[in-house]
Amino acid sequence: MENLGENKGLSDADEFDTDETGYPHICSVLEILGAKWAFLVIAELHKGPRRFKQLLRDVAVVRTQSLTNVLRQLKKNGIVHREVYPSVPVSVEYSLTEKGMDFQAALKEMENWAIRWGNDARGDDRK
């Protein structure tokens, strides 16, 4: 089967083709985002730049070390920009890069899916 990663101009018929790993493009997105709380952090940063402590308060379910790890992962993958301001004490602000801002449409679709199906613990088909 043709490698989808090499075919930038997929036709409608090819849109849902998969290779041996299932959905290679989705897998690569999950590798980029990686961390458990990445989606929540991206959603919060979409509201605007935040200092670490403010971000920690805004995403209260995330522990300090987990937030640190998520921010490092997102920065490494070009989703988050880290700006250090030379003040006393030093202040650091996090914001989304263009790549990170572009992810907002996907987050909105995930939110729509969660609204429709997220509370359906049985997994029943809705008709």
Side-chain angles (χ1 to χ4, degrees), residues 101-120:
M101 292 296 284
D102 195 42
F103 193 67
Q104 187 61 24
L107 281 176
K108 186 63 180 162
E109 285 305 313
M110 290 168 62
E111 178 68 11
N112 290 339
W113 184 87
I115 289 167
R116 184 169 180 189
W117 299 102
N119 292 329
D120 190 5

Side-chain angles (χ1 to χ4, degrees), residues 1-2 11 23 33 42 44 62 64 84 94 111 120-121 126:
M1 177 181 277
E2 177 180 70
S11 70
Y23 296 91
L33 296 177
I42 293 169
E44 193 58 41
V62 182
T64 304
V84 179
Y94 296 91
E111 178 68 11
D120 190 5
R126 295 197 178 184

Side-chain angles (χ1 to χ4, degrees), residues 18-115:
T18 62
D19 68 4
E20 299 79 34
T21 61
Y23 296 91
H25 301 292
I26 292 172
C27 290
S28 67
V29 168
L30 292 174
E31 285 178 18
I32 289 170
L33 296 177
K36 177 179 180 180
W37 301 110
F39 298 99
L40 185 58
V41 171
I42 293 169
E44 193 58 41
L45 287 175
H46 190 265
K47 298 174 186 176
R50 298 282 191 280
R51 288 182 169 180
F52 185 86
K53 290 288 188 181
Q54 181 63 47
L55 193 54
L56 190 59
R57 284 190 294 272
D58 293 344
V59 291
V61 297
V62 182
R63 295 180 185 256
T64 304
Q65 188 59 52
S66 295
L67 180 57
T68 298
N69 293 341
V70 168
L71 288 168
R72 283 182 184 152
Q73 177 75 17
L74 293 174
K75 181 181 179 300
K76 175 183 165 197
N77 288 299
I79 306 292
V80 166
H81 173 73
R82 181 178 186 263
E83 182 77 28
V84 179
Y85 295 97
S87 58
V88 178
V90 172
S91 62
V92 178
E93 188 175 78
Y94 296 91
S95 60
L96 291 178
T97 62
E98 182 180 350
K99 183 178 178 180
M101 292 296 284
D102 195 42
F103 193 67
Q104 187 61 24
L107 281 176
K108 186 63 180 162
E109 285 305 313
M110 290 168 62
E111 178 68 11
N112 290 339
W113 184 87
I115 289 167

